[in-house]
Amino acid sequence: FINGFSTAFTPQIIKYYAQRDYSNLHRLLTRASKFSFALCYLMALPLIINMDFILHLWLGDGVPQYTSEFCQLILICTIIDSTTGVFNATVTATGKIKAYQTCISISFLLDLIFCFFLFIFELSPVIVFGSRIFTRGIVNMFIGMYFTQEKAYYKAMDYSFKVLVPVIVTVIFTFIPIYILGLYTIGWSRLLLTGFSSVLITSSCVLFIIMDKNERTSIIQKIKARKL
């Protein structure tokens, strides 16, 4: 799903870069990152909260050890990747990808090294698997921010304030209350309650925190036009 969404804005990124239209390029990168996060997070949050119950419905009592934790970590990685996927498309559009791909490859190697040493110290497989969030998630994000700034002149500070800060605030305002709601229910009641609440609260946060005033006005106008 995320790859399909990314494919939709990649040609436009290439077009703006080829035209050296950096103003529209930066605006597109900001919106693509925010909306990719919003779509992915909206679907992933109720799954993360209810992973144990969902796996029990699917596999019964035969859920392998650590399966729930691994699935949750994969979803978290997917959310991060969806938010930063524009970097790869942007750097690729420049045609100068040697240094970028080298750094990405090093981060993959770093993940392997981390896993090796964590296994040596006999830490939990969940911690070992979670190291991917740091290496191939956060490290890759900083690599992408650096090369996007160098190649497409999109300042990392602008990306941080326009994308990362609203994203972090949204996660805090949504995950904590929905997680607390889940503590007081079990089974189908928890799935339905947290699922409905996550959609409602996340949609509100996306509208008033993720989107800026112009984006919010445009969305509201389109909704009103459809009703008419």
Side-chain angles (χ1 to χ4, degrees), residues 9-208:
F9 58 73
T10 298
Q12 200 69 18
I13 290 176
I14 297 173
K15 175 184 175 181
Y16 284 144
Y17 181 81
Q19 295 174 343
R20 298 298 188 266
D21 188 353
Y22 295 116
S23 177
N24 280 323
L25 174 61
H26 299 167
R27 188 179 299 110
L28 176 61
L29 295 181
T30 300
R31 290 179 175 176
S33 293
K34 293 192 297 184
F35 294 157
S36 293
F37 163 80
L39 289 172
C40 186
Y41 187 68
L42 188 64
M43 294 182 293
L45 180 57
L47 295 177
I48 293 173
I49 297 293
N50 296 283
M51 186 57 67
D52 289 332
F53 178 67
I54 292 171
L55 288 174
H56 178 72
L57 288 177
W58 181 23
L59 302 175
D61 295 329
V63 180
Q65 189 179 16
Y66 304 122
T67 301
S68 178
E69 292 85 350
F70 287 171
C71 290
Q72 290 169 330
L73 290 171
I74 289 171
L75 287 173
I76 294 172
C77 291
T78 303
I79 293 170
I80 296 174
D81 292 344
S82 69
T83 309
T84 60
V86 294
F87 296 143
N88 182 69
T90 305
V91 177
T92 301
T94 68
K96 303 173 183 178
I97 63 173
K98 181 179 179 180
Y100 172 73
Q101 290 296 342
T102 300
C103 291
I104 293 296
S105 299
I106 291 174
S107 76
F108 276 60
L109 180 60
L110 184 64
D111 184 28
L112 180 62
I113 295 172
F114 266 43
C115 290
F116 175 76
F117 282 104
L118 291 173
F119 272 125
I120 286 179
F121 290 110
E122 299 182 350
L123 297 177
S124 169
V126 176
I127 297 177
V128 176
F129 193 88
S131 67
R132 182 200 183 281
I133 296 177
F134 173 73
T135 54
R136 294 170 59 185
I138 297 176
V139 171
N140 276 8
M141 178 182 68
F142 284 112
I143 292 173
M145 290 171 65
Y146 171 78
F147 280 96
T148 301
Q149 177 172 280
E150 289 294 307
K151 305 296 183 182
Y153 312 110
Y154 185 24
K155 294 182 180 179
M157 191 63 68
D158 289 342
Y159 179 84
S160 298
F161 280 106
K162 293 179 181 179
V163 179
L164 295 184
V165 171
V167 162
I168 293 172
V169 172
T170 297
V171 171
I172 294 173
F173 281 6
T174 54
F175 182 81
I176 294 177
I178 293 171
Y179 178 77
I180 293 174
L181 279 176
L183 295 177
Y184 296 97
T185 52
I186 59 173
W188 282 104
S189 298
R190 176 177 178 173
L191 179 63
L192 294 174
L193 177 62
T194 56
F196 176 78
S197 301
S198 65
V199 171
L200 182 63
I201 298 175
T202 303
S203 298
S204 300
C205 287
V206 168
L207 190 62
F208 293 102

